[in-house]
Amino acid sequence: MSILEQLNKDMKEALKAKDKERLSVIRMVKASLQNEMIKLGTNKLSEDQELTILSRESKQRKDSLQEFKTAKREDLVEKIENELDILQQYMPEQLEFKELEQLVEHTIKQLNASSKKDMGRVMGALISKTKGKADGALVSKLVQEKLS
């Protein structure tokens, strides 16, 4: 079942349960998916494209969360945390830190990377392997540490 199909199913359930917060998040994500389909001129997105959009939505909320915490807006912090929890239900299971570290080390060995000059190649290979499963900033940090 695609993410869009799951969203449609969950939207119906949220409507029946009168869960306004969940419904709002589902509608936002659904709108993002539909906007991407319009932009690409297609009527169906690949799973990879859907994950990219979900990751973008999640990142936007994480950035907002940081801003709200800095501004000490606890009311908005709680709202964004709830939205992130709802979004996480549609994301693939996140890689454990050890798994991610092993994946980075394996990719570096596989590409014979030895210096920071190779970071672009390593990141390019890792992005496709970790899409939606790990935070890009964390992946980048690990690659920098391993290549230094």
Side-chain angles (χ1 to χ4, degrees):
M1 179 180 295
S2 76
I3 292 172
L4 188 58
E5 291 168 344
Q6 183 66 43
L7 286 167
N8 284 329
K9 180 178 171 262
D10 291 349
M11 188 168 82
K12 289 175 188 171
E13 290 173 10
L15 278 166
K16 288 177 184 175
K18 294 182 179 15
D19 187 348
K20 291 181 181 179
E21 188 173 10
R22 183 173 184 77
L23 185 60
S24 173
V25 173
I26 291 172
R27 283 181 171 157
M28 278 190 271
V29 173
K30 219 175 140 207
S32 293
L33 291 168
Q34 289 171 333
N35 286 339
E36 189 70 17
M37 285 189 284
I38 291 167
K39 182 177 149 190
L40 296 174
T42 183
N43 60 355
K44 187 159 175 66
L45 295 173
S46 69
E47 185 178 335
D48 200 38
Q49 290 168 320
E50 289 177 334
L51 279 177
T52 300
I53 293 164
L54 276 177
S55 296
R56 185 181 329 137
E57 290 289 322
S58 182
K59 183 176 183 336
Q60 286 173 352
R61 282 167 180 79
K62 286 177 184 174
D63 292 345
S64 296
L65 187 61
Q66 274 310 119
E67 294 295 321
F68 294 146
K69 281 183 178 179
T70 303
K72 296 185 180 4
R73 293 290 311 266
E74 294 304 316
D75 55 328
L76 295 174
V77 167
E78 187 178 331
K79 180 182 184 294
I80 296 295
E81 285 175 340
N82 290 339
E83 287 182 10
L84 272 169
D85 289 342
I86 294 168
L87 272 176
Q88 287 303 111
Q89 297 171 6
Y90 300 100
M91 299 287 287
E93 191 172 321
Q94 298 292 295
L95 292 172
E96 296 288 327
F97 184 78
K98 288 282 186 198
E99 290 175 295
L100 184 58
E101 199 172 35
Q102 290 172 348
L103 186 60
V104 168
E105 289 171 358
H106 177 72
T107 304
I108 289 172
K109 284 180 187 172
Q110 192 177 24
L111 297 174
N112 292 323
S114 58
S115 70
K116 289 199 178 209
K117 292 179 187 175
D118 300 318
M119 186 160 172
R121 285 189 314 133
V122 174
M123 285 300 294
L126 282 169
I127 291 299
S128 61
K129 294 176 184 176
T130 62
K131 182 168 265 170
K133 297 177 186 174
D135 181 35
L138 179 61
V139 174
S140 177
K141 182 181 170 199
L142 278 172
V143 170
Q144 285 178 351
E145 287 174 6
K146 300 292 180 188
L147 290 178
S148 350

